[in-house]
Amino acid sequence: MYANNFYFNISERRLYLRVLDIGFTVLGLYVLNVYFNFDYFDFSSPSRVLRISTLIVYLLVFGEIFEMYNLKVASDKYLTLRSTIITVFFATIFYVFTPVISPVLPTNRLQLAYFSLTLFFSVLLNRFFYIQLIFSPRFLKNILLVADSSQLADLVTAIQNKSANRIVAVVSDAAMINDDKIAFNAISEANLEVIVKEEGINEIVISSNNLQFITPELNSQLILLFEKGMAIRSADNFIEEENHRISETKLTTDFYNYFTFSKSHQNNLYLAFRRVLDILFSLIGIVVFFLLIPFVLVGNLFANKGKLLYTQKRVGKGGEKFKIIKFRTMIANAEENGAEWAKKNDSRVTAFGRILRKARLDEIPQFINVLKGDMSLIGPRPERPEFVRMLEKELPFYAIRHVVKPGLTGWAQVMYPYAHSVDDQHKKLMYDLYYIKERNLLMDLKIVIKTISTILFFRGT
């Protein structure tokens, strides 16, 4: 590393949180067992390794579901407290009632309270250290951005991340308007080595477009710094690796030089396994659908009068149209003036319909579409033909979404709020294309976990 200042990147921060959560928890339980005669979690038991491993799995799984390892949550005291309470509660419940592995319930039930409180304060202590030490500005990655002035504002917005990195200096042909927090250096006068030393730069990010502004002298300086060990990346690669979405500057007429489909698209084993899971979970979902019908009917009587279900044409894989099935959430004749996007606080959505949308329960009937093969559990959101025609004109690469089946949930759906405009659709498209480029079983699992978080925290539309 060229710069002397130490920093934690995003993956290291998440690893720190996971490892130290485990370490503080095991240490806390050990102290409780040895010094306070706590018998429920006995470190001298022959089953201690299995029990510790089981507890760790529960902590990590529920921590992922309740966003303990989301860096924005981890850097906020209130959100950290909320997530820690919920995570410890569910980890405790699942551990205590895990048959065979967990210890026999103690006669003194207060020991369960001590167990839960030890988990809570151990994890919270680690999070306190993270917020006070690791999250402090001294451990952020310092970035030097080299870009044309016309791209500066967009790139700063895309790259700046208060949880892990910050742009401290730019090299460009003109300074950004109304931004005196970032040191400006003119291309014609820039001495990169001096900037790196004075600003404590850890990485240089270079705009991938319009490279004509990089002079031969500046290019020579970059080569020299690279030779000395300075990390240098293109802005496109940085955005994709750090933000998990495609950089829109790569979507040009020669996009095929950069954008390739994931190998999973041709992996028959992966596709067959996905279809088996689709069938299995859609059968479970249909059972839930029938169980929900009485409750939704009652809710409709009071705050959502009208039909229980509605169908609507959507565009699926290969541009094929199909009818999607959903619980109705809007008033009758909601689109008497033609198709329009749902808006935030949309007046057409009924009171009970808003509850269904927040909990994503209105989408439960779509398991029927999954079983039929129109949709999959995971994929881009299926859009209406009217919107697709418009978006394909506005966003030339929009049709690429249709190379896979649409899904009940997807990468764009869990990474970006509901789209209310063409601009929102453009941003969500970058996430959909990233999924198509990178999809695999591990990414599918991440989407499932993030979807559970979305439902539990009522982040539906």
Side-chain angles (χ1 to χ4, degrees), residues 92-360:
T92 301
I93 294 295
F94 272 73
Y95 178 79
V96 167
F97 292 105
T98 298
V100 182
I101 297 175
S102 66
V104 177
L105 289 174
T107 52
N108 180 5
R109 295 293 195 261
L110 275 177
Q111 291 220 357
L112 296 180
Y114 299 149
F115 173 74
S116 184
L117 287 172
T118 302
L119 296 186
F120 173 73
F121 285 111
S122 298
V123 173
L124 205 60
L125 185 61
N126 175 37
R127 298 312 172 111
F128 173 78
F129 281 128
Y130 175 81
I131 291 173
Q132 296 299 317
L133 299 175
I134 308 302
F135 182 63
S136 65
R138 72 172 71 94
F139 292 124
L140 292 177
K141 181 198 291 184
N142 292 333
I143 293 174
L144 168 62
L145 176 62
V146 181
D148 184 80
S149 58
S150 62
Q151 298 176 295
L152 278 181
D154 290 338
L155 287 175
V156 168
T157 301
I159 292 171
Q160 196 90 279
N161 182 341
K162 293 179 181 178
S163 300
N165 55 56
R166 60 183 174 180
I167 297 173
V168 296
V170 298
V171 172
S172 186
D173 54 328
M176 287 179 62
I177 299 172
N178 299 326
D179 198 332
D180 52 1
K181 294 181 181 178
I182 301 177
F184 167 72
N185 301 272
I187 287 180
S188 57
E189 304 170 359
N191 185 323
L192 296 186
E193 188 161 10
V194 171
I195 297 170
V196 165
K197 288 179 179 178
E198 289 183 352
E199 302 291 347
I201 301 297
N202 303 110
E203 183 169 357
I204 299 175
V205 177
I206 304 174
S207 165
S208 307
N209 277 12
N210 192 19
L211 295 177
Q212 294 133 349
F213 74 91
I214 297 183
T215 63
E217 183 185 348
L218 190 66
N219 194 53
S220 298
Q221 292 186 53
L222 287 169
I223 292 171
L224 182 62
L225 286 172
F226 191 78
E227 186 181 340
K228 291 182 177 181
M230 170 56 62
I232 302 176
R233 267 194 288 181
S234 73
D236 289 329
N237 287 340
F238 187 96
I239 290 168
E240 183 167 330
E241 292 171 17
E242 301 278 333
N243 298 344
H244 307 294
R245 63 178 175 86
I246 294 293
S247 174
E248 57 193 82
T249 60
K250 282 296 182 184
L251 295 180
T252 57
T253 51
D254 62 344
F255 74 98
Y256 42 81
N257 285 328
Y258 167 75
F259 183 83
T260 56
F261 294 139
S262 163
K263 292 180 180 179
S264 297
H265 289 283
Q266 286 81 40
N267 187 326
N268 290 326
L269 185 61
Y270 168 79
L271 297 174
F273 183 69
R274 279 280 304 263
R275 183 56 187 155
V276 169
L277 288 181
D278 282 349
I279 293 171
L280 177 63
F281 281 99
S282 62
L283 290 172
I284 296 171
I286 290 169
V287 171
V288 174
F289 163 59
F290 282 113
L291 292 174
L292 279 175
I293 285 177
F295 299 99
V296 178
L297 276 172
V298 172
N300 279 3
L301 288 174
F302 294 99
N304 194 26
K305 295 184 186 297
K307 293 180 179 179
L308 178 70
L309 301 170
Y310 83 97
T311 60
Q312 196 176 66
K313 279 188 180 180
R314 297 291 173 103
V315 178
K317 184 178 179 181
E320 293 290 327
K321 297 180 181 65
F322 69 96
K323 284 192 174 181
I324 202 171
I325 308 168
K326 299 181 76 173
F327 281 126
R328 186 182 55 81
T329 58
M330 287 189 173
I331 58 174
N333 302 318
E335 294 190 329
E336 57 187 358
N337 297 321
E340 57 180 292
W341 275 309
K343 302 181 285 290
K344 192 173 183 180
N345 301 319
D346 199 319
S347 59
R348 298 172 300 161
V349 179
T350 65
F352 184 63
R354 191 162 286 111
I355 294 172
L356 292 176
R357 286 185 169 222
K358 282 288 184 184
R360 302 280 289 268

Side-chain angles (χ1 to χ4, degrees), residues 15-30 43 52-53 55-57 59-60 69 119 122-123 126-127:
L15 181 63
Y16 166 91
L17 290 171
R18 289 185 176 94
V19 171
L20 270 295
D21 277 350
I22 294 168
F24 274 75
T25 297
V26 173
L27 179 62
L29 290 172
Y30 179 79
F43 277 79
I52 291 171
S53 300
L55 178 61
I56 287 170
V57 168
L59 275 175
L60 293 179
Y69 306 110
L119 296 186
S122 298
V123 173
N126 175 37
R127 298 312 172 111

